[in-house]
Amino acid sequence: MASKACHNCSSVLLPFLIPRFCLQNISKRGIKSISTPRPNRFNHGQNLPLLQSTTAAALERKRFTTPLRTGALGTKKGMTAMYDPETGRRFPCTVVQMDRVQVVAHKTRQRNGYFAVQVGSGWKHPSNVTRPLLGHYAEHKVSPKRHLVEFKVQDENGLLGIGETIGASWFQEGQYVDARANSRGMGFAGGMKRHGFHGQPASHGVSLTHRSMGSAGQSQGGGSRVYPGKKMPGRMGGEQVTTQNVKVVKVDDEKGLVVLYGGLWSKPHSAIRNLFTLCAGSIAGPDGCLVKLSDAIKKPWPDIPTNILEAQPALDPARTTARA
């Protein structure tokens, strides 16, 4: 005969027949710490700053390292040398020429989330430009450009007028710039050339593998795999290289030349392996490559105008009279 339950379902002989709402909640068994937690001095207090995870906060953090004005584009023409008039010392230089550098477009925070200036240089035949890009140039009334690069600026004060030309006088002699250019591509290279590996022994115990990289990783102890980022043979060069704090030695606004300090030089009385040393301030890339010049972020901002008209040198009165 089946057992009967009372009205409050507390004296039921068969618990699995009791409704769920009549069962008492029993706390689950867990792990409880026997020691009190240690206070963390980094995440509590009254003077903690608010969490900054917005786009505006990210731009504010980068404000200190964002240039006040736009940069410029140039073409590396080659190397030369100059003499210091005070010490008579001969030092190497890199010549960069600016060719028809113009402001093409703007990027604003309201529309794009940041402030930037789109700069183009050179000239390209319209038949070699895609139609969307031709419409972009036609919208801003600028001729098609060979190169198109974007330079970030701090605020709207660094936005130049569309169509304005940036000449060599945009930079002043004695200031420091950051130069970016693509290094010379050297194709597929081995570990000794690409990463400076010493190679295998030259005689005992090695045959036909003197320049090989050797082992690529451990077996059982390291998971029987090759770790990501392992230095191995591969394509060498062809990457953007930034050279910081390059000094501007000379500016020729008429020819559009900017002469930068630095280059390959020969160290006298040195060993053969150290005969050619890369001098501080050398510009990467072969002759004819594109060079992006901007104010150095690790140096104080130069005391120079941000307007094109203020940056242009004053005209000679004699020339003005002759032209008139």
Side-chain angles (χ1 to χ4, degrees), residues 111-134:
R111 184 175 181 180
N112 307 102
Y114 60 95
F115 292 104
V117 179
Q118 198 176 60
V119 179
S121 67
W123 181 82
K124 201 171 185 179
H125 198 276
S127 62
N128 295 330
V129 182
T130 60
R131 290 192 176 184
L133 198 54
L134 275 178

PDB file of all heavy atoms in Angstrom, residues 111-134:
ATOM      1  N   ARG A 111      34.074  62.365 -38.170  1.00  0.00           N
ATOM      2  CA  ARG A 111      33.750  61.460 -39.269  1.00  0.00           C
ATOM      3  C   ARG A 111      34.572  60.186 -39.252  1.00  0.00           C
ATOM      4  O   ARG A 111      34.064  59.109 -39.560  1.00  0.00           O
ATOM      5  CB  ARG A 111      33.976  62.190 -40.594  1.00  0.00           C
ATOM      6  CG  ARG A 111      33.575  61.388 -41.813  1.00  0.00           C
ATOM      7  CD  ARG A 111      33.702  62.214 -43.079  1.00  0.00           C
ATOM      8  NE  ARG A 111      33.304  61.452 -44.264  1.00  0.00           N
ATOM      9  CZ  ARG A 111      33.318  61.948 -45.492  1.00  0.00           C
ATOM     10  NH1 ARG A 111      33.709  63.196 -45.692  1.00  0.00           N
ATOM     11  NH2 ARG A 111      32.947  61.198 -46.514  1.00  0.00           N
ATOM     12  N   ASN A 112      35.865  60.291 -38.886  1.00  0.00           N
ATOM     13  CA  ASN A 112      36.773  59.133 -38.955  1.00  0.00           C
ATOM     14  C   ASN A 112      37.282  58.689 -37.597  1.00  0.00           C
ATOM     15  O   ASN A 112      37.942  57.654 -37.514  1.00  0.00           O
ATOM     16  CB  ASN A 112      37.961  59.452 -39.863  1.00  0.00           C
ATOM     17  CG  ASN A 112      37.525  59.951 -41.229  1.00  0.00           C
ATOM     18  OD1 ASN A 112      37.564  61.147 -41.493  1.00  0.00           O
ATOM     19  ND2 ASN A 112      37.087  59.051 -42.093  1.00  0.00           N
ATOM     20  N   GLY A 113      37.064  59.481 -36.563  1.00  0.00           N
ATOM     21  CA  GLY A 113      37.519  59.095 -35.230  1.00  0.00           C
ATOM     22  C   GLY A 113      38.877  59.637 -34.849  1.00  0.00           C
ATOM     23  O   GLY A 113      39.322  59.438 -33.718  1.00  0.00           O
ATOM     24  N   TYR A 114      39.567  60.336 -35.739  1.00  0.00           N
ATOM     25  CA  TYR A 114      40.872  60.908 -35.444  1.00  0.00           C
ATOM     26  C   TYR A 114      41.146  62.003 -36.463  1.00  0.00           C
ATOM     27  O   TYR A 114      40.461  62.126 -37.484  1.00  0.00           O
ATOM     28  CB  TYR A 114      41.986  59.837 -35.489  1.00  0.00           C
ATOM     29  CG  TYR A 114      42.115  59.162 -36.834  1.00  0.00           C
ATOM     30  CD1 TYR A 114      43.034  59.593 -37.784  1.00  0.00           C
ATOM     31  CD2 TYR A 114      41.304  58.076 -37.169  1.00  0.00           C
ATOM     32  CE1 TYR A 114      43.158  58.982 -39.013  1.00  0.00           C
ATOM     33  CE2 TYR A 114      41.413  57.455 -38.390  1.00  0.00           C
ATOM     34  CZ  TYR A 114      42.337  57.904 -39.312  1.00  0.00           C
ATOM     35  OH  TYR A 114      42.443  57.297 -40.535  1.00  0.00           O
ATOM     36  N   PHE A 115      42.169  62.819 -36.164  1.00  0.00           N
ATOM     37  CA  PHE A 115      42.563  63.899 -37.064  1.00  0.00           C
ATOM     38  C   PHE A 115      43.793  63.455 -37.850  1.00  0.00           C
ATOM     39  O   PHE A 115      44.772  62.965 -37.272  1.00  0.00           O
ATOM     40  CB  PHE A 115      42.880  65.180 -36.283  1.00  0.00           C
ATOM     41  CG  PHE A 115      41.678  65.802 -35.643  1.00  0.00           C
ATOM     42  CD1 PHE A 115      41.445  65.680 -34.286  1.00  0.00           C
ATOM     43  CD2 PHE A 115      40.768  66.528 -36.394  1.00  0.00           C
ATOM     44  CE1 PHE A 115      40.343  66.248 -33.697  1.00  0.00           C
ATOM     45  CE2 PHE A 115      39.661  67.112 -35.813  1.00  0.00           C
ATOM     46  CZ  PHE A 115      39.435  66.965 -34.462  1.00  0.00           C
ATOM     47  N   ALA A 116      43.756  63.646 -39.159  1.00  0.00           N
ATOM     48  CA  ALA A 116      44.881  63.282 -40.011  1.00  0.00           C
ATOM     49  C   ALA A 116      44.801  64.092 -41.296  1.00  0.00           C
ATOM     50  O   ALA A 116      43.742  64.618 -41.667  1.00  0.00           O
ATOM     51  CB  ALA A 116      44.893  61.786 -40.326  1.00  0.00           C
ATOM     52  N   VAL A 117      45.956  64.178 -41.957  1.00  0.00           N
ATOM     53  CA  VAL A 117      46.075  64.886 -43.228  1.00  0.00           C
ATOM     54  C   VAL A 117      46.563  63.886 -44.267  1.00  0.00           C
ATOM     55  O   VAL A 117      47.570  63.205 -44.061  1.00  0.00           O
ATOM     56  CB  VAL A 117      47.044  66.080 -43.127  1.00  0.00           C
ATOM     57  CG1 VAL A 117      47.161  66.787 -44.470  1.00  0.00           C
ATOM     58  CG2 VAL A 117      46.585  67.046 -42.050  1.00  0.00           C
ATOM     59  N   GLN A 118      45.844  63.797 -45.378  1.00  0.00           N
ATOM     60  CA  GLN A 118      46.235  62.903 -46.470  1.00  0.00           C
ATOM     61  C   GLN A 118      47.071  63.692 -47.465  1.00  0.00           C
ATOM     62  O   GLN A 118      46.606  64.685 -48.034  1.00  0.00           O
ATOM     63  CB  GLN A 118      44.996  62.325 -47.138  1.00  0.00           C
ATOM     64  CG  GLN A 118      45.261  61.087 -47.968  1.00  0.00           C
ATOM     65  CD  GLN A 118      43.982  60.507 -48.538  1.00  0.00           C
ATOM     66  OE1 GLN A 118      43.288  61.187 -49.279  1.00  0.00           O
ATOM     67  NE2 GLN A 118      43.684  59.269 -48.172  1.00  0.00           N
ATOM     68  N   VAL A 119      48.306  63.253 -47.650  1.00  0.00           N
ATOM     69  CA  VAL A 119      49.279  63.974 -48.470  1.00  0.00           C
ATOM     70  C   VAL A 119      49.662  63.096 -49.657  1.00  0.00           C
ATOM     71  O   VAL A 119      49.886  61.890 -49.508  1.00  0.00           O
ATOM     72  CB  VAL A 119      50.525  64.348 -47.640  1.00  0.00           C
ATOM     73  CG1 VAL A 119      51.542  65.086 -48.496  1.00  0.00           C
ATOM     74  CG2 VAL A 119      50.127  65.209 -46.448  1.00  0.00           C
ATOM     75  N   GLY A 120      49.765  63.721 -50.828  1.00  0.00           N
ATOM     76  CA  GLY A 120      50.188  63.020 -52.034  1.00  0.00           C
ATOM     77  C   GLY A 120      51.391  63.699 -52.662  1.00  0.00           C
ATOM     78  O   GLY A 120      51.606  64.905 -52.478  1.00  0.00           O
ATOM     79  N   SER A 121      52.180  62.943 -53.393  1.00  0.00           N
ATOM     80  CA  SER A 121      53.375  63.491 -54.034  1.00  0.00           C
ATOM     81  C   SER A 121      53.529  62.878 -55.417  1.00  0.00           C
ATOM     82  O   SER A 121      53.029  61.785 -55.704  1.00  0.00           O
ATOM     83  CB  SER A 121      54.634  63.211 -53.196  1.00  0.00           C
ATOM     84  OG  SER A 121      54.916  61.824 -53.173  1.00  0.00           O
ATOM     85  N   GLY A 122      54.260  63.603 -56.283  1.00  0.00           N
ATOM     86  CA  GLY A 122      54.509  63.131 -57.629  1.00  0.00           C
ATOM     87  C   GLY A 122      53.311  63.319 -58.536  1.00  0.00           C
ATOM     88  O   GLY A 122      52.382  64.091 -58.252  1.00  0.00           O
ATOM     89  N   TRP A 123      53.319  62.599 -59.651  1.00  0.00           N
ATOM     90  CA  TRP A 123      52.227  62.662 -60.625  1.00  0.00           C
ATOM     91  C   TRP A 123      52.071  61.301 -61.270  1.00  0.00           C
ATOM     92  O   TRP A 123      53.033  60.561 -61.452  1.00  0.00           O
ATOM     93  CB  TRP A 123      52.510  63.712 -61.694  1.00  0.00           C
ATOM     94  CG  TRP A 123      51.411  63.841 -62.706  1.00  0.00           C
ATOM     95  CD1 TRP A 123      50.254  64.550 -62.576  1.00  0.00           C
ATOM     96  CD2 TRP A 123      51.357  63.230 -63.994  1.00  0.00           C
ATOM     97  NE1 TRP A 123      49.485  64.427 -63.704  1.00  0.00           N
ATOM     98  CE2 TRP A 123      50.135  63.624 -64.606  1.00  0.00           C
ATOM     99  CE3 TRP A 123      52.212  62.396 -64.712  1.00  0.00           C
ATOM    100  CZ2 TRP A 123      49.757  63.210 -65.868  1.00  0.00           C
ATOM    101  CZ3 TRP A 123      51.834  61.976 -65.980  1.00  0.00           C
ATOM    102  CH2 TRP A 123      50.614  62.395 -66.548  1.00  0.00           C
ATOM    103  N   LYS A 124      50.829  60.958 -61.591  1.00  0.00           N
ATOM    104  CA  LYS A 124      50.516  59.682 -62.207  1.00  0.00           C
ATOM    105  C   LYS A 124      49.501  59.908 -63.319  1.00  0.00           C
ATOM    106  O   LYS A 124      48.569  60.713 -63.166  1.00  0.00           O
ATOM    107  CB  LYS A 124      49.954  58.712 -61.164  1.00  0.00           C
ATOM    108  CG  LYS A 124      50.066  57.251 -61.537  1.00  0.00           C
ATOM    109  CD  LYS A 124      49.692  56.380 -60.368  1.00  0.00           C
ATOM    110  CE  LYS A 124      49.922  54.902 -60.678  1.00  0.00           C
ATOM    111  NZ  LYS A 124      49.578  54.037 -59.529  1.00  0.00           N
ATOM    112  N   HIS A 125      49.680  59.206 -64.418  1.00  0.00           N
ATOM    113  CA  HIS A 125      48.770  59.370 -65.543  1.00  0.00           C
ATOM    114  C   HIS A 125      47.383  58.857 -65.162  1.00  0.00           C
ATOM    115  O   HIS A 125      47.252  57.805 -64.526  1.00  0.00           O
ATOM    116  CB  HIS A 125      49.287  58.616 -66.769  1.00  0.00           C
ATOM    117  CG  HIS A 125      48.672  59.069 -68.052  1.00  0.00           C
ATOM    118  ND1 HIS A 125      47.460  58.584 -68.498  1.00  0.00           N
ATOM    119  CD2 HIS A 125      49.078  59.988 -68.967  1.00  0.00           C
ATOM    120  CE1 HIS A 125      47.138  59.164 -69.639  1.00  0.00           C
ATOM    121  NE2 HIS A 125      48.115  60.020 -69.956  1.00  0.00           N
ATOM    122  N   PRO A 126      46.332  59.583 -65.530  1.00  0.00           N
ATOM    123  CA  PRO A 126      44.976  59.139 -65.137  1.00  0.00           C
ATOM    124  C   PRO A 126      44.613  57.757 -65.637  1.00  0.00           C
ATOM    125  O   PRO A 126      43.790  57.067 -65.012  1.00  0.00           O
ATOM    126  CB  PRO A 126      44.074  60.221 -65.760  1.00  0.00           C
ATOM    127  CG  PRO A 126      44.946  61.417 -65.899  1.00  0.00           C
ATOM    128  CD  PRO A 126      46.319  60.891 -66.185  1.00  0.00           C
ATOM    129  N   SER A 127      45.194  57.312 -66.760  1.00  0.00           N
ATOM    130  CA  SER A 127      44.869  55.977 -67.266  1.00  0.00           C
ATOM    131  C   SER A 127      45.410  54.864 -66.373  1.00  0.00           C
ATOM    132  O   SER A 127      44.964  53.719 -66.478  1.00  0.00           O
ATOM    133  CB  SER A 127      45.416  55.804 -68.682  1.00  0.00           C
ATOM    134  OG  SER A 127      46.834  55.923 -68.691  1.00  0.00           O
ATOM    135  N   ASN A 128      46.362  55.196 -65.506  1.00  0.00           N
ATOM    136  CA  ASN A 128      46.940  54.203 -64.605  1.00  0.00           C
ATOM    137  C   ASN A 128      46.372  54.286 -63.188  1.00  0.00           C
ATOM    138  O   ASN A 128      46.923  53.676 -62.272  1.00  0.00           O
ATOM    139  CB  ASN A 128      48.462  54.381 -64.540  1.00  0.00           C
ATOM    140  CG  ASN A 128      49.133  54.100 -65.860  1.00  0.00           C
ATOM    141  OD1 ASN A 128      48.656  53.283 -66.647  1.00  0.00           O
ATOM    142  ND2 ASN A 128      50.229  54.790 -66.135  1.00  0.00           N
ATOM    143  N   VAL A 129      45.289  55.041 -63.011  1.00  0.00           N
ATOM    144  CA  VAL A 129      44.660  55.216 -61.707  1.00  0.00           C
ATOM    145  C   VAL A 129      43.263  54.617 -61.761  1.00  0.00           C
ATOM    146  O   VAL A 129      42.542  54.771 -62.774  1.00  0.00           O
ATOM    147  CB  VAL A 129      44.601  56.708 -61.306  1.00  0.00           C
ATOM    148  CG1 VAL A 129      43.997  56.868 -59.922  1.00  0.00           C
ATOM    149  CG2 VAL A 129      45.993  57.319 -61.357  1.00  0.00           C
ATOM    150  N   THR A 130      42.857  53.932 -60.720  1.00  0.00           N
ATOM    151  CA  THR A 130      41.519  53.338 -60.684  1.00  0.00           C
ATOM    152  C   THR A 130      40.453  54.429 -60.636  1.00  0.00           C
ATOM    153  O   THR A 130      40.704  55.555 -60.183  1.00  0.00           O
ATOM    154  CB  THR A 130      41.387  52.416 -59.470  1.00  0.00           C
ATOM    155  OG1 THR A 130      41.610  53.182 -58.275  1.00  0.00           O
ATOM    156  CG2 THR A 130      42.405  51.287 -59.531  1.00  0.00           C
ATOM    157  N   ARG A 131      39.261  54.093 -61.066  1.00  0.00           N
ATOM    158  CA  ARG A 131      38.192  55.086 -61.122  1.00  0.00           C
ATOM    159  C   ARG A 131      37.769  55.588 -59.740  1.00  0.00           C
ATOM    160  O   ARG A 131      37.492  56.779 -59.585  1.00  0.00           O
ATOM    161  CB  ARG A 131      36.988  54.505 -61.868  1.00  0.00           C
ATOM    162  CG  ARG A 131      37.239  54.331 -63.357  1.00  0.00           C
ATOM    163  CD  ARG A 131      35.972  54.028 -64.107  1.00  0.00           C
ATOM    164  NE  ARG A 131      36.204  53.951 -65.546  1.00  0.00           N
ATOM    165  CZ  ARG A 131      35.247  53.769 -66.448  1.00  0.00           C
ATOM    166  NH1 ARG A 131      33.992  53.625 -66.054  1.00  0.00           N
ATOM    167  NH2 ARG A 131      35.548  53.722 -67.731  1.00  0.00           N
ATOM    168  N   PRO A 132      37.670  54.737 -58.725  1.00  0.00           N
ATOM    169  CA  PRO A 132      37.344  55.285 -57.403  1.00  0.00           C
ATOM    170  C   PRO A 132      38.380  56.302 -56.917  1.00  0.00           C
ATOM    171  O   PRO A 132      38.018  57.323 -56.330  1.00  0.00           O
ATOM    172  CB  PRO A 132      37.296  54.039 -56.517  1.00  0.00           C
ATOM    173  CG  PRO A 132      36.985  52.926 -57.440  1.00  0.00           C
ATOM    174  CD  PRO A 132      37.677  53.261 -58.713  1.00  0.00           C
ATOM    175  N   LEU A 133      39.654  56.024 -57.176  1.00  0.00           N
ATOM    176  CA  LEU A 133      40.686  56.961 -56.753  1.00  0.00           C
ATOM    177  C   LEU A 133      40.686  58.225 -57.609  1.00  0.00           C
ATOM    178  O   LEU A 133      40.958  59.324 -57.112  1.00  0.00           O
ATOM    179  CB  LEU A 133      42.055  56.281 -56.822  1.00  0.00           C
ATOM    180  CG  LEU A 133      43.200  56.942 -56.032  1.00  0.00           C
ATOM    181  CD1 LEU A 133      42.805  57.134 -54.577  1.00  0.00           C
ATOM    182  CD2 LEU A 133      44.462  56.128 -56.128  1.00  0.00           C
ATOM    183  N   LEU A 134      40.330  58.089 -58.889  1.00  0.00           N
ATOM    184  CA  LEU A 134      40.197  59.274 -59.731  1.00  0.00           C
ATOM    185  C   LEU A 134      39.072  60.173 -59.234  1.00  0.00           C
ATOM    186  O   LEU A 134      39.198  61.405 -59.223  1.00  0.00           O
ATOM    187  CB  LEU A 134      39.930  58.854 -61.181  1.00  0.00           C
ATOM    188  CG  LEU A 134      41.145  58.537 -62.060  1.00  0.00           C
ATOM    189  CD1 LEU A 134      40.682  58.096 -63.439  1.00  0.00           C
ATOM    190  CD2 LEU A 134      42.076  59.728 -62.158  1.00  0.00           C
TER     191      LEU A 134
END
